[in-house]
């Protein structure tokens, strides 16, 4: 037996441990658990564009509350939230033209309106005046869009999500919403979406394999503000609790996979209103972007968050989210950008979508505002680079 070998061995091990510790501290960044659940994302503001107020085929172009991108056709579809008072419920097909001379910092050269598609209900006729409040739109390859109406609670009208034929505007099918989202009364409401605060956000996350006509999609939507039964007392000092729905859509009946608590940011000073108007699915891991919009004495504001749903509690069996919910894990969020830091005047931003890739391969991100058909507001389009 070589005793000298065993006398040296502890010193070697100690030196190796010290070197390992030093090298690890020098070469590997410290990453906490909160950082590990999010993607390495950042956004870069590139340009602002104002879509001129105009008429197109006897319709006023306005109220653009949602937008989605068709990559195969390189076209955008923008939904108007006109309830039929100015023209029938509709969406527009847009072509966004980038300035090819500014590849380092792309700009929006122009936006062309190519067509308007009028929406039709289950009976095959245009929606009656005042019976729809279309707020969200999401393209489903190859020839469909999904639209979300937030409902009109004061009239007892329920929110809904319909699949619509891209070319004809004809109704294809309905996505059944849980009963807890349906207003139970127009006058003494105790359940369901609040008036003008229902479903605004809508996004699809395709699997991307095989035949696009049968591949299942993940569909996400959320309430703009809490359901009536989830409202806390004003002095409760708790963040507003929205609900986020996650569906699986395939060639069979749509299936509700889960529902999660989405806590709204309520840290904006001098804000009279804060809501969640849009979501955008990033990939299959339960990561999304969320757009929160506020309005107050200082005008409009907006914040962009990264959202992670994977560890959130399923709230679909919880009748009310009132009070302090110690056993409910909400979705996790991190702030990507406070748009008020951009140094531009913001309008009523409500829509968000991916756009085409830039010449360097990076991904564009588009935000659009709803001018409420108000002559003092604008149809604002913001262009960003999303760094993934």
């Amino acid at each position: 037996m070589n005793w000298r070998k065993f006398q040296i061995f502890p010193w070697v091990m100690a030196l190796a441990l010290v070197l390992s510790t030093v090298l690890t501290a020098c070469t590997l960044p410290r990453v906490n658990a909160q950082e590990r659940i999010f993607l390495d994302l950042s956004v870069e503001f590139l340009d602002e564009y104002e879509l001129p107020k105009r008429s197109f085929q006897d319709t006023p172009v306005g109220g653009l509350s949602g937008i989605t991108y068709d990559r195969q056709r390189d076209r955008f579809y923008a939904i108007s939230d006109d309830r039929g008072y100015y023209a029938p419920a509709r969406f527009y097909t847009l072509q966004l033209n980038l300035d090819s001379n500014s590849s380092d910092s792309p700009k929006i050269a122009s936006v062309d309106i190519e067509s308007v598609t009028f929406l039709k209900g289950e009976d095959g006729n245009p929606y009656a005046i005042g019976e729809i409040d279309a707020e969200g739109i999401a393209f489903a390859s190859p020839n469909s869009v999904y639209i979300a109406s937030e409902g009109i609670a004061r009239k007892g009208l329920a929110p809904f999500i319909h699949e619509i034929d891209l070319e004809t505007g004809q109704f294809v099918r309905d996505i059944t919403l849980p009963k807890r989202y349906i207003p139970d009364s127009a006058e003494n409401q105790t359940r369901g979406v609040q008036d003008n605060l229902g479903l605004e956000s809508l996004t699809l996350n395709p699997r991307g394999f095989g035949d696009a006509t049968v591949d299942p999609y993940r569909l996400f939507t959320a309430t703009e503000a809490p359901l009536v039964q989830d409202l806390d007392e004003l002095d409760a000092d708790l963040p507003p609790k929205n609900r986020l729905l996650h569906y699986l859509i395939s060639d069979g009946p749509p299936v509700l996979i889960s529902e999660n608590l989405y806590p709204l940011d309520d840290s904006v000073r001098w804000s009279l209103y804060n809501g969640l108007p849009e979501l955008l699915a990033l990939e299959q891991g339960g990561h999304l972007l969320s757009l929160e919009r506020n309005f107050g004495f200082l005008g409009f504001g907006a914040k962009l968050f990264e959202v992670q749903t994977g560890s959130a509690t399923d709230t679909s069996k919880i009748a009310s989210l009132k009070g302090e919910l110690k056993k409910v894990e909400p979705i996790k969020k991190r702030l990507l950008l406070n748009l008020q830091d951009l140094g531009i005047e913001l309008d009523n931003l409500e829509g968000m979508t991916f756009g085409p890739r830039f010449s360097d391969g990076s991904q564009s991100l588009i935000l659009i505002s709803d001018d409420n058909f108000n002559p003092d507001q604008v149809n604002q389009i913001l262009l960003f680079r999303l760094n993934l």
Side-chain angles (χ1 to χ4, degrees), residues 31 55 137 144 151 317 328 380:
V31 180
S55 292
I137 185 169
S144 292
K317 303 299 183 183
V328 175
Q380 182 181 46

Side-chain angles (χ1 to χ4, degrees), residues 1-10 12:
M1 181 177 291
N2 189 337
W3 290 103
R4 180 175 177 80
K5 172 181 175 182
F6 281 89
Q7 288 174 338
I8 296 174
F9 182 74
V12 172

Side-chain angles (χ1 to χ4, degrees), residues 122-134:
E122 294 184 58
D123 60 2
N125 297 314
Y127 292 94
I129 295 174
E131 298 295 303
I132 182 175
D133 187 4

Side-chain angles (χ1 to χ4, degrees), residues 99-137:
D99 182 359
S100 59
N101 295 321
S102 56
S103 57
D104 292 337
S105 182
K107 306 293 182 184
I108 301 174
S110 63
V111 176
D112 300 327
I113 302 174
E114 293 189 338
S115 64
V116 58
T117 304
F118 297 103
L119 307 177
K120 301 175 179 64
E122 294 184 58
D123 60 2
N125 297 314
Y127 292 94
I129 295 174
E131 298 295 303
I132 182 175
D133 187 4
E135 298 282 354
I137 185 169

Side-chain angles (χ1 to χ4, degrees), residues 362-383:
S362 60
Q363 177 63 58
S364 66
L365 180 71
I366 305 292
L367 273 62
I368 195 168
S369 73
D370 173 1
D371 69 349
N372 295 308
F373 296 98
N374 183 339
D376 295 326
Q377 292 183 246
V378 298
N379 294 312
Q380 182 181 46
I381 300 176
L382 302 182
L383 176 67

Side-chain angles (χ1 to χ4, degrees), residues 85-377:
Y85 297 130
Y86 301 100
R90 60 200 179 275
F91 68 85
Y92 296 95
T93 298
L94 309 177
Q95 181 178 19
L96 186 148
N97 305 299
L98 296 178
D99 182 359
S100 59
N101 295 321
S102 56
S103 57
D104 292 337
S105 182
K107 306 293 182 184
I108 301 174
S110 63
V111 176
D112 300 327
I113 302 174
E114 293 189 338
S115 64
V116 58
T117 304
F118 297 103
L119 307 177
K120 301 175 179 64
E122 294 184 58
D123 60 2
N125 297 314
Y127 292 94
I129 295 174
E131 298 295 303
I132 182 175
D133 187 4
E135 298 282 354
I137 185 169
F139 172 68
S141 179
N143 293 309
S144 292
V145 291
Y146 286 83
I147 61 165
S149 171
E150 66 177 346
I152 307 173
R154 69 175 184 275
K155 296 175 64 176
L157 295 175
F160 63 76
I161 299 173
H162 287 172
E163 183 182 0
I164 299 291
D165 184 273
L166 178 66
E167 296 181 359
T168 66
Q170 293 282 354
F171 171 89
V172 176
R173 63 174 166 176
D174 174 69
I175 309 300
T176 302
L177 294 174
K179 187 177 180 180
R180 57 187 169 275
Y181 290 78
I182 312 304
D184 58 350
S185 170
E187 297 179 355
N188 300 305
Q189 186 182 354
T190 62
R191 184 198 72 205
V193 297
Q194 299 183 66
D195 190 55
N196 204 33
L197 296 171
L199 304 181
E200 284 217 8
S201 56
L202 193 63
T203 184
L204 288 176
N205 189 2
R207 285 184 62 187
F209 300 102
D211 185 351
T213 62
V214 297
D215 255 0
Y217 289 84
R218 305 286 179 153
L219 181 148
F220 299 88
T221 186
T223 56
E224 184 179 358
L227 299 175
V228 169
Q229 63 267 35
D230 296 336
L231 286 169
D232 287 307
E233 300 298 328
L234 294 176
D235 59 354
D237 195 27
L238 295 170
K241 308 183 187 84
N242 290 18
R243 297 196 188 220
L244 184 150
L245 291 167
H246 176 191
Y247 284 88
L248 177 67
I249 299 178
S250 61
D251 52 354
V255 177
L256 178 61
I257 294 178
S258 65
E259 177 194 82
N260 305 123
L261 189 163
Y262 181 104
L264 272 175
D265 176 40
D266 60 351
S267 64
V268 182
R269 295 186 62 190
W270 313 112
S271 180
L272 301 175
Y273 158 84
N274 189 36
L276 173 64
E278 191 62 290
L279 295 168
L280 183 61
L282 291 173
E283 39 83 281
Q284 292 296 312
H287 294 91
L288 303 96
L289 296 182
S290 70
L291 175 66
E292 295 190 25
R293 175 263 322 265
N294 59 76
F295 178 75
F297 298 109
L298 302 178
F300 288 105
K303 292 182 179 181
L304 193 61
F305 293 89
E306 182 187 351
V307 171
Q308 202 275 342
T309 64
S311 60
T313 303
D314 184 359
T315 58
S316 59
K317 303 299 183 183
I318 302 177
S320 172
L321 298 178
K322 285 185 178 180
E324 193 170 354
L325 305 171
K326 295 183 178 180
K327 295 184 178 181
V328 175
E329 183 72 24
I331 65 104
K332 290 182 169 57
K333 303 163 51 179
R334 75 177 180 101
L335 179 65
L336 285 178
L337 178 66
N338 184 343
L339 274 72
Q340 287 185 311
D341 295 338
L342 298 179
I344 62 174
E345 184 176 355
L346 301 175
D347 208 276
N348 182 31
L349 293 167
E350 291 194 359
M352 175 171 60
T353 187
F354 293 127
R357 290 193 176 275
F358 297 121
S359 58
D360 64 357
S362 60
Q363 177 63 58
S364 66
L365 180 71
I366 305 292
L367 273 62
I368 195 168
S369 73
D370 173 1
D371 69 349
N372 295 308
F373 296 98
N374 183 339
D376 295 326
Q377 292 183 246

